[in-house]
Amino acid sequence: MGVLLECSGLTKRFGKREALKQVDLSVESGKIVGLLGPNGSGKTTLIKLANGLLRPDGGSIRIDGQEPGVYTKSIVSYLPDRMYFADWMRVSDMVRMFRDFYTDFRLETAEDMLERLEISGSERMKSLSKGTKEKVQLALVMSRKAKLYLLDEPIGVDPAARDFILRTILTNYSEDASVILSTHLIADIEKVLDEVIFLKEGQVVRQDPVDRIREQEKKSVDALFREIFAVPMGAMDWDTHGREGER
């Protein structure tokens, strides 16, 4: 397995604030990686840098050996933490847009997922619930045959849909691709993760395979997260069901 994503001394500033500070990490192909950390830790900033939406102020970030650009955009499938489709659009409009924009878009895969979700192509975005909009967007993103999937808060607030969403992630990426997902719902996604990256105040404080954490620490990733970040139990229980603000 080769290295698919590599950061070396990666730094990003917003004014005087450093969102990322000298970040060093690498992600191999064929992995599902949890990008975990409290509010303001830099998760969304890192994902946007990898997607080419932001430029680093120091260090480097490479995807499949190249800096973010035309090539990397062709192999990265990105799910932002906020909806970016217009309310007037129908689901079928969105499917056509993905088909026209991305040569690796698998139309049959998208149509199959939407059918299993019982979402009609004739429905307009403004008529859908927030949870259903999230499912549509995830279905489209995972219908691309990409090398790297960057999923920012893909697990919505609808518990009934979480298993479907996790199955969608598991069954729609190939062995030579990787998935990096950011979420607060650690306990819900832990079962599908190969590896975790803990970010705190813009720095990587730990990167390890999940199996190694369970072997060495004798505890779950969720329990280790609470310990490292010293989050009071009551606060964490509330936070894991909320959404992150600026990250």
Side-chain angles (χ1 to χ4, degrees):
M1 293 285 183
V3 173
L4 188 55
L5 171 67
E6 185 170 25
C7 301
S8 179
L10 184 64
T11 299
K12 180 62 185 175
R13 303 182 189 90
F14 295 103
K16 295 182 179 179
R17 183 176 69 86
E18 281 190 307
L20 293 176
K21 308 170 188 177
Q22 298 287 320
V23 167
D24 295 321
L25 62 84
S26 64
V27 174
E28 294 183 345
S29 56
K31 303 288 185 183
I32 299 181
V33 180
L35 185 62
L36 311 175
N39 290 350
S41 60
K43 301 189 299 297
T44 291
T45 298
L46 178 57
I47 287 176
K48 286 183 175 180
L49 283 162
N51 197 51
L53 295 176
L54 296 173
R55 294 183 63 85
D57 293 308
S60 65
I61 180 168
R62 293 184 178 275
I63 299 168
D64 203 23
Q66 297 196 28
E67 293 182 356
V70 175
Y71 168 69
T72 64
K73 286 183 182 295
S74 73
I75 63 168
V76 171
S77 192
Y78 170 53
L79 178 75
D81 63 331
R82 293 176 176 85
M83 291 297 300
Y84 57 89
F85 296 112
D87 280 347
W88 61 263
M89 295 181 75
R90 299 182 188 275
V91 173
S92 58
D93 295 328
M94 295 162 56
V95 172
R96 280 194 297 272
M97 185 179 76
F98 265 70
R99 183 194 62 193
D100 293 344
F101 265 80
Y102 303 110
T103 58
D104 61 359
F105 183 68
R106 298 169 292 186
L107 179 60
E108 289 184 4
T109 299
E111 290 177 340
D112 177 63
M113 279 195 277
L114 292 171
E115 183 178 346
R116 284 188 285 136
L117 285 166
E118 299 182 345
I119 299 173
S120 169
S122 63
E123 294 188 77
R124 292 191 186 274
M125 292 302 294
K126 64 182 178 182
S127 70
L128 302 178
S129 68
K130 181 182 178 186
T132 302
K133 290 177 182 178
E134 291 172 344
K135 293 175 206 170
V136 171
Q137 190 160 278
L138 178 67
L140 294 175
V141 167
M142 295 307 300
S143 291
R144 288 185 57 195
K145 191 172 177 57
K147 283 192 174 183
L148 179 62
Y149 299 87
L150 300 172
L151 312 179
D152 200 354
E153 295 285 353
I155 310 299
V157 295
D158 179 4
R162 286 178 195 154
D163 282 345
F164 177 84
I165 290 169
L166 291 176
R167 286 198 306 273
T168 298
I169 292 170
L170 280 171
T171 58
N172 286 281
Y173 84 104
S174 58
E175 291 181 359
D176 61 345
S178 281
V179 178
I180 297 177
L181 59 93
S182 162
T183 183
H184 276 319
L185 300 167
I186 301 169
D188 290 305
I189 68 162
E190 183 171 342
K191 60 187 176 183
V192 306
L193 297 179
D194 298 306
E195 194 172 301
V196 293
I197 298 169
F198 286 164
L199 275 178
K200 183 177 183 181
E201 297 176 355
Q203 295 179 302
V204 175
V205 294
R206 183 158 185 172
Q207 179 178 359
D208 263 325
V210 170
D211 289 343
R212 184 182 300 165
I213 288 174
R214 291 176 182 145
E215 256 181 50
Q216 293 181 351
E217 307 293 341
K218 308 300 182 186
K219 61 186 66 171
S220 68
V221 171
D222 188 39
L224 181 62
F225 180 93
R226 294 170 186 265
E227 181 180 292
I228 288 179
F229 296 102
V231 181
M233 186 65 71
M236 189 63 194
D237 286 343
W238 180 88
D239 206 28
T240 54
H241 291 85
R243 290 185 67 85
E244 222 174 342
E246 193 64 33
R247 296 183 292 285

